[in-house]
Structures are given as structure tokens and as C-alpha cells.
Amino acid sequence: SSMVPTYTGAAVYNEADKFRKTDWSDIEKKKAKLPAKSDNGWVAMIEHYFVAAIMPPDKTEREVYADKVDALYRAGVKISAPPIAAGATGRIGVPLYLGPQEQEVLAKTATGLDLVVDYGIFHVIAAPLFWLLSWLYKLVGNWGWAIILLTILIKGVFYPLNAASARSMAKLKLVAPKMKALQEQFANDKQQLQMKMMEMYKTEKINPLGGCLPILVQIPVFIALYWVLLGAVELRHAPWWGWIQDLSAPDPWYILPVLYAFTAWIQVKLQPPAPGMDPMQQKIMQFMPLMFSVMFIFFPSGLVLYWFVQNILTIAQQWHVNRMLEAEAKVKAATAAARR
């Protein structure tokens, strides 16, 4: 019972037309985009986690059809039978796959059959993400620990971006008194205030948008992982540890969403308010983690686990950078005092 339903309907595949979905409404309106006659490919009925596929042998002429008979939808293939002489016996065999959408099994069963796993529009990110997650699972033998390792790897890939962002955020905290002085000085001249703030960003080497960029870049990864946890049968009923016995379902005790809210709150406390933000906006920013954690109650626990670990790593990085910059500032101040 996910918030975003996965695809249910028919699908066809052949070398020329590749993978095509054909949903119930198209079949009903007789608008189903079916490939022309060919000598390869398969036809399938897809539902969440499971698939039934008819796969005639290659180099067998076939015609795909999909229609509605009474209240039932059907999809299938018509194949040309070889001639059978009078008195002789002939056999026509068409393989059928009926079972879970296990991607390794599907890929070995027929070309393109693994495409029935529905990752929505994020397939281009979700497919390699699942491949990496599977590889990590083979190393550790547990999908939960594989998700944690995946989070660490993703954090490593985005490290330069996150480090630059953490540095900008820490510097903003250090120049907060200067910022306040400017805001008081130019309280009635917003244009002048903007100019002075921009000058200060330049001299202090601060990127005011530094905090948003890493989050924006990682949103597609987050959504793709949501689809992986939603669509991959391998993660269905997959336990992690303790109370988490199904990473594709919400946390039954709401522990992970609460832990997420706590780490997100620490993150907000570590980072200074964005420049020019009024007290009301600051309050909203502080309540954001709470709003997200309420939303996360309904999300797969594997996804909340990813975000929770992500937060812990971000906190550690921000704390480390804050300490480094404070030490640098002290050295700078001491040097300046010695010169005087």
C-alpha cells in the first residue's frame, strides 16, 4: 500500500520496438500500441512484484494481441504452427514465466524481461542504484546494511560538493555578527544591504546557496531509491535488524522517523539561518524536520534508514568543518594581533 502505485497492466517487447507498456485503458479503447508482426520478443502481464510472460522461441513468427473479453483483460501471442502431415504428431511449445520480478532471473530468462521492474521515470538512476545495492548485498548478506553502505558511498561521491557547502555554512556562522551589523545599518535600504552582503560574500569567499545545492543534487537519488525500495521484489519482506523486519514497509514502531527528526533538528542547529531570513522563516526551517518525519511514517523504512544515515554523516562533516574554521579564525586573529 504505497503512496505511489506501481504499474499494473500489459507489456510487450521485441528487438525493433523495445519495451512498451500497454495499460488497461488503452486496451479498452483499442488504442494499445502493439508491435507489428515479428519473429522475436515476448508479451507479459505485470503487477507489483510479479509477472507472467509468454516467450515464444526466437525466429518463430508471432503476432501480439491485447483485448478485453467481458470483465477480463488479456494479452497474448498468435504463432504460426509448422505443417503437420496426415497421421503424424506435432508439438508446439511456448515457454511461460510466472513468478516474482527477480531481476537476475528475468534477465537470464529473456532479453529485456528485467525491464518489467517498474522504477517510473527515474529508471536511468534507479537501475544502476539497484545494481550497486545488489552488489553490496552480496558482500554483506543483508539489505539494511547494504543500504547503509550505499549511503556512505553516495556521500563519498558527493563529498567535494558537501565539503564546499559545509565550509560555506560554517563561514556564514562565523560572519553572523558582521551580517547583523549590516542588517541594522541598512535596515531601510534593502538594495544597499543586498550590495553590501554580496561584497561580504566575495571577500569572505562564501557561497550563500552552498547549503541548498547538495540537497538539490541528491533529490533524484532519493526519489530513485524510493522507487527501488518500492519496485524491487528482492527487498520485499527483507529484514534489517531488530524491529525492522521489512525494509519495503513503513517502520512499525516509528523509531526511524523519530531518529530522523532528531538528527535533522541537530543539523538545523549546526547550520546558521540563511541570510535575510526573517524569524518566521527561521521557525519554519526548524519545523521542517518534524514535517518530514511525519511524512516518513508512511515511507518504506529502508528509505528512512538511508536518510537517517545521510544526516549522521552530514552532522559529522559539518561539526568537523565548523571546528576547523573556528581554529583557522583563531590563528588569523592571533596573527593580526601580533602584527599590531
Side-chain angles (χ1 to χ4, degrees):
S1 59
S2 64
M3 293 200 296
V4 183
T6 51
Y7 175 77
T8 302
V12 289
Y13 180 94
N14 69 19
E15 291 288 319
D17 301 284
K18 300 301 178 200
F19 179 73
R20 280 189 192 175
K21 289 177 181 176
T22 305
D23 60 34
W24 308 135
S25 60
D26 285 342
I27 292 172
E28 201 160 338
K29 292 172 193 159
K30 295 185 168 56
K31 283 184 181 173
K33 289 191 183 107
L34 300 172
K37 283 185 180 179
S38 72
D39 68 348
N40 66 81
W42 46 261
V43 61
M45 279 292 189
I46 305 170
E47 61 173 285
H48 194 193
Y49 294 135
F50 299 95
V51 61
I54 301 167
M55 304 160 293
D58 277 358
K59 298 190 173 55
T60 309
E61 279 296 317
R62 86 269 327 257
E63 188 184 343
V64 175
Y65 68 89
D67 57 18
K68 189 183 181 191
V69 181
D70 300 326
L72 295 173
Y73 295 93
R74 63 178 187 171
V77 283
K78 297 171 185 172
I79 60 169
S80 49
I84 301 164
T89 311
R91 179 178 286 182
I92 302 162
V94 177
L96 167 75
Y97 176 87
L98 188 63
Q101 296 171 7
E102 287 177 13
Q103 290 171 59
E104 274 190 32
V105 176
L106 295 179
K108 286 174 191 161
T109 305
T111 308
L113 195 57
D114 52 329
L115 294 171
V116 300
V117 179
D118 184 26
Y119 291 145
I121 56 165
F122 284 89
H123 197 98
V124 70
I125 306 168
L129 209 58
F130 177 76
W131 178 87
L132 184 56
L133 196 58
S134 304
W135 182 76
L136 292 167
Y137 169 72
K138 281 170 190 164
L139 284 182
V140 292
N142 177 297
W143 287 104
W145 296 116
I147 288 168
I148 290 170
L149 287 177
L150 179 77
T151 315
I152 295 165
L153 278 180
I154 290 170
K155 194 75 181 166
V157 168
F158 289 118
Y159 180 79
L161 191 63
N162 286 316
S165 156
R167 213 172 164 81
S168 276
M169 298 311 277
K171 276 188 174 177
L172 268 176
K173 204 163 193 172
L174 289 176
V175 299
K178 280 188 196 175
M179 183 86 71
K180 203 171 181 196
L182 280 176
Q183 283 167 340
E184 283 165 8
Q185 194 181 342
F186 300 100
N188 302 319
D189 191 346
K190 293 279 180 225
Q191 211 171 347
Q192 192 69 10
L193 176 64
Q194 287 295 326
M195 274 171 62
K196 292 286 177 191
M197 273 162 65
M198 284 303 166
E199 276 173 31
M200 192 179 74
Y201 293 149
K202 232 177 211 170
T203 47
E204 300 286 348
K205 295 186 178 67
I206 294 172
N207 176 7
L209 299 174
C212 308
L213 200 60
I215 294 168
L216 288 174
V217 170
Q218 285 172 70
I219 282 172
V221 175
F222 173 74
I223 298 170
L225 189 65
Y226 173 71
W227 280 100
V228 166
L229 289 161
L230 198 65
V233 71
E234 290 86 347
L235 283 142
R236 183 181 184 232
H237 303 320
W240 169 44
W241 172 74
W243 78 105
I244 301 289
Q245 290 301 307
D246 184 358
L247 287 158
S248 70
D251 182 334
W253 298 101
Y254 316 128
I255 294 169
L256 280 175
V258 169
L259 288 174
Y260 161 81
F262 179 65
T263 54
W265 177 78
I266 291 171
Q267 233 178 308
V268 170
K269 288 285 171 200
L270 271 177
Q271 291 177 355
M277 202 183 262
D278 62 52
M280 189 62 195
Q281 286 172 316
Q282 285 177 32
K283 284 266 186 294
I284 291 168
M285 282 300 284
Q286 284 175 348
F287 277 107
M288 284 283 267
L290 193 65
M291 285 166 3
F292 268 106
S293 60
V294 170
M295 220 166 67
F296 279 177
I297 286 169
F298 308 100
F299 275 42
S301 52
L303 195 68
V304 189
L305 177 64
Y306 164 81
W307 213 246
F308 168 61
V309 175
Q310 168 85 11
N311 277 2
I312 289 173
L313 297 172
T314 304
I315 287 165
Q317 190 175 23
Q318 189 69 52
W319 182 81
H320 174 66
V321 170
N322 285 3
R323 292 286 298 267
M324 261 171 50
L325 282 179
E326 277 167 22
E328 279 175 30
K330 276 178 190 167
V331 169
K332 230 183 203 174
T335 313
R339 276 185 191 147
R340 278 191 221 118

